[in-house]
Amino acid sequence: MNAINVKFVAIARIDEGDLLCGHAIERSFESNFKNEASNLLTKLKSFRLEADERQQCHSPNGCWFCQMDKENVVYLALCSKEYPERIAYQMIEKIQNQVEEIPDYAN
């Protein structure tokens, strides 16, 4: 697997539907991916995700892997369709663990 299989990663508050941060591997697609992530947040909110629940959603740009923590912060990764789910969620968990080390990160 090479890094291009991961296209975009983001962190968001599901309650407000706001992206806290996002990064595209290829900068020219960042705006598109941010818009898609914002639309996905609306969809995820209607699913009523629970803490540590995972959700996978397909799009024309690939597959979104999503996981919400106990503070209603959602971690998103847009990957190529063939990218292994297990690896995507390992990456999300590493990001989540680092974010959770930040004092008062949810505020």
Side-chain angles (χ1 to χ4, degrees):
M1 297 288 143
N2 60 26
I4 201 67
N5 287 316
V6 177
K7 299 177 180 187
F8 183 76
V9 292
I11 301 170
R13 284 196 179 96
I14 197 158
D15 294 333
E16 292 92 17
D18 295 333
L19 287 181
L20 300 174
C21 65
H23 176 73
I25 304 304
E26 293 185 32
R27 288 283 207 211
S28 61
F29 295 109
E30 189 158 337
S31 179
N32 266 357
F33 293 159
K34 281 184 177 180
N35 288 337
E36 193 171 314
S38 293
N39 292 335
L40 178 61
L41 284 175
T42 302
K43 188 176 185 180
L44 290 174
K45 192 171 183 177
S46 72
F47 291 162
R48 296 195 166 105
L49 293 179
E50 299 290 327
D52 296 320
E53 187 175 347
R54 296 173 172 178
Q55 184 69 45
Q56 190 174 341
C57 299
H58 295 277
S59 85
N61 290 312
C63 184
W64 286 95
F65 296 95
C66 315
Q67 182 169 307
M68 188 170 75
D69 73 10
K70 63 187 178 300
E71 300 293 338
N72 293 332
V73 174
V74 179
Y75 302 85
L76 309 166
L78 175 61
C79 303
S80 61
K81 292 181 180 176
E82 63 276 352
Y83 198 73
E85 178 179 356
R86 179 180 57 84
I87 304 297
Y89 284 117
Q90 284 176 353
M91 176 184 61
I92 287 173
E93 286 178 13
K94 284 181 183 180
I95 294 168
Q96 180 178 343
N97 290 339
Q98 289 183 346
V99 169
E100 288 177 348
E101 288 179 9
I102 300 168
D104 208 25
Y105 77 94
N107 295 319

